[in-house]
Amino acid sequence: MRSPHPIPTHPHPYDVPYDETPAPPTTHRRTGRRRRRGHFFSGLPFALKTVASLLVLAAFLTLADRWAVLYAEHRAADTLKDRLRLTAAPEVEIDGFPFLPQLVGKRLDSVKVTVPDVAADRVTLAAVSATAHNVRLDGDGPTSVRGARVPRLDGDVLLSFADMNRELGASQVTFTGAGRDRVAVRGTLPVAGHDLRLRADVRVARDGERGVDTRIGGMRLDIGELATYRPGTRASQGLHLTRASAAALARETRKARAVLAVPSVVRALGVPDATVREAQRSDTALSRLTGRPEFVRQAMRLNLLDLALAHPELLDRLGLDPALLDALSQLTRPVLADRLSLAFRLPEPPSGELRLRDVRVAKDGIRVRVEGSGLAVGP
């Protein structure tokens, strides 16, 4: 019999049919962030390309500007060499960046020019360095510059001791600074086959607005330890025995008698004739005469050049070369001063003014400050 209440039955798990439809993916809020971040980075390569392009363009413009500067500096150096008749092209440095806008505007902020080895009166100037400000260019365009106008210029001139010592080295003379306005001259000077020690002091001063003047003082030439020559006509100048040689003369009987045999020398010494005659006969009297302290001082005051003219035979007794004394008589103060002069004048510019403002002696040479206005280069 069939039960009135059927018993529910449960299917076996293995009897359930398999659903092959995949489950929908689980969505989260991160998905939107990833999409937005991906959109931001997708635009970044274009920005990088733009920046890189700008940097490359700026680099090319900078290189072009610097190339234009180098070209202009080279052309300016050649032009200055030709128009100023220089032996070597100067160094030209154009300041300011960028350069091309200045060239188009026909105005340069500043131009520095360094000219080596400019000819002076006796030596060369080691360097002339000048800076021109607010330079106005003359021409129809950037590529056709014919000249320049310089409203204001300032610079320095160096008269180098190294150049002077090298160029005047034939006389083995050296120049060194001895103060703000003084130069010491030391060395040897060949005269009639003898190397005489030279000493002199040069005072440097400005001569107007265009020149440098030098005054030579304290000039002396030492002939070993025997005598000293000071060019000039004063009583203290001329050729005189040194203290050591005058003292040796007082001790050497033969030389002393030879000197006392010259009447002009006796008068210059201020010795009475009776005393001289007694000294010529007696060694004791001679020693008493030459042993006085004033005898050495009086002997040092004798001008040997005058003595040589009147009594040339006496020179051998004193150990002096007659040819040397003859050469010294021709080496006058003006001649010797001219050989040691450091004076020079600035060249006169074709237009405008060029002035000296300050002159001083430095460690490396004589430095001069220069100023100019209204100068022009070119037609």
Side-chain angles (χ1 to χ4, degrees):
M1 291 180 64
R2 180 178 295 181
S3 172
H5 301 285
I7 298 173
T9 59
H10 298 281
H12 193 275
Y14 292 102
D15 295 334
V16 178
Y18 176 74
D19 188 1
E20 295 181 356
T21 304
T26 303
T27 59
H28 299 281
R29 297 177 63 184
R30 293 181 180 178
T31 304
R33 295 180 181 177
R34 288 180 180 177
R35 288 178 181 175
R36 289 193 297 271
R37 186 179 302 174
H39 176 73
F40 174 76
F41 279 101
S42 64
L44 188 59
F46 176 77
L48 289 175
K49 291 178 181 179
T50 302
V51 172
S53 300
L54 293 176
L55 291 177
V56 172
L57 179 61
F60 275 111
L61 291 176
T62 302
L63 289 176
D65 189 85
R66 294 300 91 191
W67 180 88
V69 169
L70 294 176
Y71 178 77
E73 291 174 347
H74 179 73
R75 288 288 303 275
D78 291 340
T79 302
L80 289 174
K81 177 185 175 182
D82 295 338
R83 293 178 178 174
L84 298 181
R85 299 178 181 178
L86 302 174
T87 57
E91 298 178 7
V92 178
E93 181 180 351
I94 300 176
D95 294 332
F97 179 83
F99 166 70
L100 291 176
Q102 298 183 66
L103 184 61
V104 173
K106 298 182 181 181
R107 189 186 70 84
L108 303 180
D109 294 339
S110 65
V111 179
K112 183 178 180 180
V113 180
T114 301
V115 185
D117 300 332
V118 177
D121 291 346
R122 300 184 62 246
V123 294
T124 58
L125 304 180
V128 177
S129 178
T131 301
H133 304 276
N134 297 322
V135 179
R136 311 291 179 175
L137 302 178
D138 295 334
D140 299 330
T143 60
S144 60
V145 177
R146 295 187 300 269
R149 308 291 173 179
V150 181
R152 183 172 64 88
L153 176 142
D154 58 76
D156 293 289
V157 176
L158 172 65
L159 186 63
S160 170
F161 288 143
D163 284 351
M164 288 188 287
N165 294 339
R166 181 178 61 253
E167 296 185 21
L168 303 179
S171 57
Q172 301 178 357
V173 175
T174 60
F175 299 83
T176 56
R180 192 186 187 282
D181 62 344
R182 297 183 183 276
V183 178
V185 183
R186 302 291 184 269
T188 59
L189 188 68
V191 179
H194 299 267
D195 289 333
L196 309 185
R197 291 196 305 269
L198 170 66
R199 295 174 59 91
D201 296 321
V202 181
R203 184 176 180 181
V204 181
R206 192 180 69 177
D207 182 14
E209 291 189 343
R210 303 183 57 78
V212 173
D213 184 31
T214 56
R215 298 181 180 179
I216 315 297
M219 288 187 294
R220 54 180 288 182
L221 292 169
D222 294 330
I223 307 173
E225 300 297 331
L226 180 60
T228 298
Y229 174 65
R230 294 180 175 88
T233 57
R234 298 178 181 178
S236 59
Q237 297 170 337
L239 183 63
H240 298 270
L241 295 173
T242 63
R243 180 173 294 277
S245 60
L249 174 64
R251 294 191 301 268
E252 296 182 21
T253 303
R254 184 180 176 183
K255 288 184 178 181
R257 283 203 170 99
V259 171
L260 293 174
V262 180
S264 59
V265 173
V266 174
R267 289 193 299 269
L269 293 175
V271 181
D273 293 339
T275 304
V276 172
R277 287 194 297 269
E278 184 181 1
Q280 293 287 19
R281 294 192 301 266
S282 171
D283 291 343
T284 302
L286 179 62
S287 300
R288 187 167 54 249
L289 173 61
T290 57
R292 297 180 305 163
E294 58 268 22
F295 180 84
V296 174
R297 294 193 298 267
Q298 291 169 342
M300 292 176 62
R301 287 198 293 265
L302 293 174
N303 191 341
L304 300 181
L305 289 178
D306 297 337
L307 184 62
L309 294 176
H311 303 277
E313 73 281 355
L314 190 59
L315 300 180
D316 292 335
R317 299 287 183 89
L318 297 177
L320 293 171
D321 182 7
L324 174 60
L325 268 65
D326 183 64
L328 289 177
S329 64
Q330 300 178 19
L331 192 61
T332 61
R333 183 177 180 85
V335 171
L336 188 58
D338 181 69
R339 298 182 66 172
L340 302 178
S341 176
L342 307 177
F344 69 92
R345 297 191 65 82
L346 289 178
E348 185 174 356
S351 63
E353 296 182 356
L354 194 61
R355 303 173 296 273
L356 299 178
R357 285 308 182 197
D358 182 61
V359 179
R360 62 183 178 88
V361 177
K363 183 178 181 180
D364 53 349
I366 301 174
R367 291 191 170 272
V368 182
R369 188 165 62 88
V370 182
E371 292 182 357
S373 60
L375 303 173
V377 177

